[in-house]
Amino acid sequence: GIRLVSNQQRIGIEASGLVGAIPLVDGRTLRILPKIGEANFLTLLFRSMGESKDLKTEFEEFVSYALSDNENLDYLVARQLMSSVAEIWRRSPRFGWQRKIEQSTFVKGQINPVNTAIRLAQRDRRPVVSKIKSRSYDIPENRVLLEAAMRAFSHLSNFDRTVYASTLEHTVRRLKKSQQLGADIKHVHEGFANGSYGGARGYYQKALMLACVILGNSGLGLDERSKNVTADALLINTADIFEKYLRTFIRSAYADRGFFVGKGGNASVSLYTDGSHKLEPDILISKEGRPILICDAKYKSPGGPDHYQMLAYLMRYRLREGLLLCPSADGNEVVERDYMTPDGLVVREIELPIGNIDVTEAFLGSIVQKFVH
């Protein structure tokens, strides 16, 4: 999604469908901002990752504040994150279980008979070798929070730094740095998709969402001695977030009406009889196992290939109408454009006013009634 361009000795970067930050070798950070507005993009990001009603209420207030206040959005997110991390330490941080080998004078866990016998024969003072389970804070969620907290701290005001200095110090002292940040972030995203952050420790959900925003919007440091970038850039694919947001909201809107909403449906479909060229629409809505509506998310103005793709979906799924859903940062109304083939297949381009999320979600919550006949 990024390529270098040059024109008369001037060099630039063209970014397509990404937001986030890239660390530069001179210590500065190149930030790529979402074209639909930071607060609007954050709304899509949060809603695509979690459906907690409590979290939704908190975030709506946060976005409203971010839109109406003169404070920098980075500062607002950073302050919310540090507050959430402080709450985690006040309550109870998540932990995992690690297995380790320990020598002692008595059995603590699962004994290793061979090594114990050897040490007994050697008259070792601590002959019993056991494999035990111990609690550990060294889990992906906590490593992501640590990385985000260290970056968030630099965005705080001087006053807030004094407030949260002890929180950061405690976090750095108790948690371990990530050695594979990309894998840890992926683990957290999968946790959101699986609904893993509710229940007794639901307060982790808000903190991890804010951490994802910070990590996607902050640059990484440099090793001043070697002048080499010591970590990867952190970028978020806006098209993926838009697609997940649409699918998550539509699934939620029709969850109690007997509809199945998923990516590609619940059965594999191919373009050809030999099974080649799998067809996987972004959003397939089914009723009693029968596909009734296909939608494809396009984080751009749909072109010819997008229409060809949708027509292939319609012919293979034997449907008459399909929707190409794309975002619009301007305006407050949904805009529809209809295209009909000579044999009666209809492809509709639909621009969703992301700047007015209520109008967008009112439309998405009624697409079955509107387009399924």
Side-chain angles (χ1 to χ4, degrees):
I2 293 179
R3 70 185 184 94
L4 291 175
V5 295
S6 62
N7 181 18
Q8 298 180 350
Q9 298 182 337
R10 298 179 64 186
I11 298 177
I13 293 179
E14 181 179 85
S16 176
L18 296 172
V19 298
I22 303 172
L24 306 178
V25 293
D26 63 358
R28 292 181 295 174
T29 298
L30 173 66
R31 292 186 56 199
I32 304 172
L33 303 178
K35 64 182 181 182
I36 60 174
E38 286 186 295
N40 293 338
F41 177 75
L42 289 178
T43 302
L44 301 190
L45 176 62
F46 273 56
R47 293 197 184 184
S48 70
M49 295 172 68
E51 283 298 302
S52 165
K53 293 182 179 180
D54 293 338
L55 180 68
K56 182 176 179 180
T57 301
E58 288 183 5
F59 184 64
E60 291 302 331
E61 295 175 354
F62 169 61
V63 170
S64 176
Y65 180 38
L67 287 170
S68 62
D69 199 271
N70 292 326
E71 296 285 4
N72 181 278
L73 190 61
D74 288 336
Y75 165 68
L76 294 171
V77 176
R79 188 174 61 183
Q80 290 271 334
L81 174 66
M82 296 308 297
S83 175
S84 296
V85 172
E87 180 183 5
I88 286 173
W89 289 118
R90 286 195 305 269
R91 300 176 71 172
S92 176
R94 291 172 71 102
F95 59 84
W97 293 99
Q98 289 187 339
R99 291 187 176 273
K100 65 179 182 178
I101 304 298
E102 186 169 305
Q103 294 176 232
S104 64
T105 58
F106 56 91
V107 176
K108 289 187 176 181
Q110 182 181 358
I111 189 172
N112 186 315
V114 175
N115 289 340
T116 298
I118 293 173
R119 293 185 182 279
L120 284 170
Q122 295 173 341
R123 299 182 182 278
D124 195 299
R125 293 176 59 186
R126 298 165 61 196
V128 180
V129 180
S130 305
K131 181 184 291 185
I132 65 173
K133 289 198 305 182
S134 62
R135 289 185 176 187
S136 172
Y137 292 144
D138 189 19
I139 59 175
E141 289 81 1
N142 290 339
R143 293 193 293 265
V144 166
L145 287 178
L146 172 61
E147 295 289 343
M150 290 190 299
R151 289 171 177 79
F153 196 75
S154 64
H155 294 298
L156 298 178
S157 65
N158 291 334
F159 173 77
D160 284 318
R161 288 184 187 182
T162 61
V163 172
Y164 294 112
S166 60
T167 298
L168 180 64
E169 180 183 356
H170 188 74
T171 303
V172 171
R173 186 172 66 253
R174 297 292 299 276
L175 304 182
K176 291 185 178 180
K177 284 181 63 66
S178 176
Q179 301 301 314
Q180 294 180 316
L181 185 56
D184 287 341
I185 293 174
K186 181 180 178 181
H187 176 90
V188 169
H189 278 270
E190 290 174 351
F192 277 115
N194 297 330
S196 301
Y197 301 126
R201 290 195 175 91
Y203 47 88
Y204 255 80
Q205 188 168 231
K206 179 181 178 182
L208 287 171
M209 285 188 174
L210 291 165
C212 288
V213 174
I214 287 289
L215 291 177
N217 215 33
S218 299
L220 302 179
L222 304 175
D223 183 338
E224 294 297 335
R225 293 168 295 180
S226 64
K227 294 297 183 183
N228 291 325
V229 178
T230 59
D232 293 331
L234 285 164
L235 299 169
I236 297 174
N237 189 310
T238 50
D240 285 350
I241 294 299
F242 181 63
E243 175 191 329
K244 289 177 183 177
Y245 160 72
L246 294 176
R247 189 165 50 249
T248 299
F249 181 83
I250 295 172
R251 181 186 295 129
S252 175
Y254 287 95
D256 57 351
R257 306 187 202 180
F259 294 94
F260 175 86
V261 180
K263 184 178 176 68
N266 54 7
S268 178
V269 175
S270 302
L271 186 60
Y272 298 110
T273 56
D274 64 357
S276 60
H277 298 285
K278 300 292 184 184
L279 296 180
E280 192 177 55
D282 294 333
I283 302 165
L284 180 62
I285 304 175
S286 304
K287 178 80 169 182
E288 298 177 348
R290 181 177 64 88
I292 60 172
L293 184 63
I294 291 176
C295 307
D296 236 24
K298 302 298 177 184
Y299 196 73
K300 58 184 178 65
S301 296
D306 302 315
H307 282 258
Y308 302 149
Q309 182 184 47
M310 178 57 72
L311 289 173
Y313 290 154
L314 295 179
M315 288 186 288
R316 186 64 182 84
Y317 283 92
R318 298 182 180 180
L319 296 175
R320 306 300 297 176
E321 299 183 10
L323 310 181
L324 297 175
L325 305 175
C326 54
S328 172
D330 302 322
N332 292 309
E333 300 296 331
V334 175
V335 177
E336 298 182 29
R337 300 184 184 88
D338 295 352
Y339 300 87
M340 180 178 291
T341 66
D343 53 354
L345 298 181
V346 178
V347 176
R348 288 189 168 89
E349 292 183 5
I350 297 178
E351 292 185 2
L352 300 170
I354 299 301
N356 191 330
I357 204 73
D358 291 335
V359 171
T360 292
E361 294 187 349
F363 177 86
L364 294 175
S366 62
I367 59 172
V368 171
Q369 299 92 313
K370 186 175 178 62
F371 297 112
V372 177
H373 307 292

PDB file of all heavy atoms in Angstrom, residues 140-151:
ATOM      1  N   PRO A 140       0.648 -11.770  25.573  1.00  0.00           N
ATOM      2  CA  PRO A 140       0.561 -10.780  24.495  1.00  0.00           C
ATOM      3  C   PRO A 140      -0.203  -9.515  24.879  1.00  0.00           C
ATOM      4  O   PRO A 140       0.207  -8.398  24.524  1.00  0.00           O
ATOM      5  CB  PRO A 140      -0.155 -11.542  23.376  1.00  0.00           C
ATOM      6  CG  PRO A 140       0.205 -12.964  23.615  1.00  0.00           C
ATOM      7  CD  PRO A 140       0.260 -13.121  25.110  1.00  0.00           C
ATOM      8  N   GLU A 141      -1.323  -9.660  25.598  1.00  0.00           N
ATOM      9  CA  GLU A 141      -2.125  -8.480  25.958  1.00  0.00           C
ATOM     10  C   GLU A 141      -1.306  -7.491  26.781  1.00  0.00           C
ATOM     11  O   GLU A 141      -1.349  -6.276  26.533  1.00  0.00           O
ATOM     12  CB  GLU A 141      -3.364  -8.911  26.744  1.00  0.00           C
ATOM     13  CG  GLU A 141      -4.416  -9.642  25.923  1.00  0.00           C
ATOM     14  CD  GLU A 141      -4.115 -11.113  25.720  1.00  0.00           C
ATOM     15  OE1 GLU A 141      -3.080 -11.598  26.239  1.00  0.00           O
ATOM     16  OE2 GLU A 141      -4.904 -11.790  25.046  1.00  0.00           O
ATOM     17  N   ASN A 142      -0.564  -7.993  27.761  1.00  0.00           N
ATOM     18  CA  ASN A 142       0.217  -7.095  28.619  1.00  0.00           C
ATOM     19  C   ASN A 142       1.412  -6.503  27.885  1.00  0.00           C
ATOM     20  O   ASN A 142       1.797  -5.357  28.136  1.00  0.00           O
ATOM     21  CB  ASN A 142       0.678  -7.846  29.867  1.00  0.00           C
ATOM     22  CG  ASN A 142      -0.464  -8.157  30.802  1.00  0.00           C
ATOM     23  OD1 ASN A 142      -1.519  -7.507  30.751  1.00  0.00           O
ATOM     24  ND2 ASN A 142      -0.302  -9.157  31.653  1.00  0.00           N
ATOM     25  N   ARG A 143       2.000  -7.264  26.975  1.00  0.00           N
ATOM     26  CA  ARG A 143       3.115  -6.717  26.202  1.00  0.00           C
ATOM     27  C   ARG A 143       2.640  -5.589  25.286  1.00  0.00           C
ATOM     28  O   ARG A 143       3.331  -4.578  25.114  1.00  0.00           O
ATOM     29  CB  ARG A 143       3.791  -7.839  25.397  1.00  0.00           C
ATOM     30  CG  ARG A 143       4.504  -8.874  26.263  1.00  0.00           C
ATOM     31  CD  ARG A 143       5.408  -9.764  25.437  1.00  0.00           C
ATOM     32  NE  ARG A 143       4.688 -10.627  24.521  1.00  0.00           N
ATOM     33  CZ  ARG A 143       4.348 -11.882  24.776  1.00  0.00           C
ATOM     34  NH1 ARG A 143       4.638 -12.423  25.957  1.00  0.00           N
ATOM     35  NH2 ARG A 143       3.709 -12.617  23.867  1.00  0.00           N
ATOM     36  N   VAL A 144       1.461  -5.756  24.694  1.00  0.00           N
ATOM     37  CA  VAL A 144       0.890  -4.694  23.849  1.00  0.00           C
ATOM     38  C   VAL A 144       0.599  -3.446  24.686  1.00  0.00           C
ATOM     39  O   VAL A 144       0.882  -2.314  24.263  1.00  0.00           O
ATOM     40  CB  VAL A 144      -0.390  -5.204  23.143  1.00  0.00           C
ATOM     41  CG1 VAL A 144      -1.177  -4.037  22.542  1.00  0.00           C
ATOM     42  CG2 VAL A 144      -0.024  -6.200  22.045  1.00  0.00           C
ATOM     43  N   LEU A 145       0.047  -3.631  25.885  1.00  0.00           N
ATOM     44  CA  LEU A 145      -0.235  -2.494  26.758  1.00  0.00           C
ATOM     45  C   LEU A 145       1.052  -1.763  27.145  1.00  0.00           C
ATOM     46  O   LEU A 145       1.085  -0.531  27.196  1.00  0.00           O
ATOM     47  CB  LEU A 145      -0.972  -2.953  28.018  1.00  0.00           C
ATOM     48  CG  LEU A 145      -2.434  -3.360  27.836  1.00  0.00           C
ATOM     49  CD1 LEU A 145      -3.020  -3.827  29.169  1.00  0.00           C
ATOM     50  CD2 LEU A 145      -3.257  -2.210  27.270  1.00  0.00           C
ATOM     51  N   LEU A 146       2.116  -2.505  27.435  1.00  0.00           N
ATOM     52  CA  LEU A 146       3.389  -1.874  27.792  1.00  0.00           C
ATOM     53  C   LEU A 146       3.925  -1.040  26.636  1.00  0.00           C
ATOM     54  O   LEU A 146       4.317   0.121  26.830  1.00  0.00           O
ATOM     55  CB  LEU A 146       4.413  -2.946  28.180  1.00  0.00           C
ATOM     56  CG  LEU A 146       5.853  -2.450  28.393  1.00  0.00           C
ATOM     57  CD1 LEU A 146       5.914  -1.426  29.520  1.00  0.00           C
ATOM     58  CD2 LEU A 146       6.791  -3.614  28.662  1.00  0.00           C
ATOM     59  N   GLU A 147       3.945  -1.605  25.429  1.00  0.00           N
ATOM     60  CA  GLU A 147       4.446  -0.862  24.271  1.00  0.00           C
ATOM     61  C   GLU A 147       3.632   0.409  24.045  1.00  0.00           C
ATOM     62  O   GLU A 147       4.177   1.480  23.770  1.00  0.00           O
ATOM     63  CB  GLU A 147       4.380  -1.748  23.019  1.00  0.00           C
ATOM     64  CG  GLU A 147       5.275  -2.959  23.050  1.00  0.00           C
ATOM     65  CD  GLU A 147       6.743  -2.603  22.915  1.00  0.00           C
ATOM     66  OE1 GLU A 147       7.050  -1.483  22.479  1.00  0.00           O
ATOM     67  OE2 GLU A 147       7.591  -3.451  23.257  1.00  0.00           O
ATOM     68  N   ALA A 148       2.313   0.291  24.163  1.00  0.00           N
ATOM     69  CA  ALA A 148       1.443   1.449  23.940  1.00  0.00           C
ATOM     70  C   ALA A 148       1.621   2.491  25.031  1.00  0.00           C
ATOM     71  O   ALA A 148       1.641   3.697  24.759  1.00  0.00           O
ATOM     72  CB  ALA A 148      -0.012   0.996  23.858  1.00  0.00           C
ATOM     73  N   ALA A 149       1.747   2.060  26.285  1.00  0.00           N
ATOM     74  CA  ALA A 149       1.890   3.006  27.403  1.00  0.00           C
ATOM     75  C   ALA A 149       3.179   3.813  27.278  1.00  0.00           C
ATOM     76  O   ALA A 149       3.188   5.020  27.552  1.00  0.00           O
ATOM     77  CB  ALA A 149       1.858   2.253  28.728  1.00  0.00           C
ATOM     78  N   MET A 150       4.259   3.161  26.854  1.00  0.00           N
ATOM     79  CA  MET A 150       5.528   3.888  26.707  1.00  0.00           C
ATOM     80  C   MET A 150       5.422   4.961  25.629  1.00  0.00           C
ATOM     81  O   MET A 150       5.992   6.050  25.769  1.00  0.00           O
ATOM     82  CB  MET A 150       6.653   2.903  26.383  1.00  0.00           C
ATOM     83  CG  MET A 150       7.017   1.995  27.551  1.00  0.00           C
ATOM     84  SD  MET A 150       8.526   1.016  27.277  1.00  0.00           S
ATOM     85  CE  MET A 150       8.065   0.048  25.850  1.00  0.00           C
ATOM     86  N   ARG A 151       4.679   4.672  24.554  1.00  0.00           N
ATOM     87  CA  ARG A 151       4.514   5.672  23.495  1.00  0.00           C
ATOM     88  C   ARG A 151       3.489   6.744  23.881  1.00  0.00           C
ATOM     89  O   ARG A 151       3.625   7.898  23.528  1.00  0.00           O
ATOM     90  CB  ARG A 151       4.111   4.975  22.201  1.00  0.00           C
ATOM     91  CG  ARG A 151       5.270   4.176  21.628  1.00  0.00           C
ATOM     92  CD  ARG A 151       4.831   3.311  20.459  1.00  0.00           C
ATOM     93  NE  ARG A 151       5.981   2.628  19.905  1.00  0.00           N
ATOM     94  CZ  ARG A 151       6.530   1.549  20.433  1.00  0.00           C
ATOM     95  NH1 ARG A 151       6.028   1.024  21.529  1.00  0.00           N
ATOM     96  NH2 ARG A 151       7.591   0.990  19.879  1.00  0.00           N
TER      97      ARG A 151
END
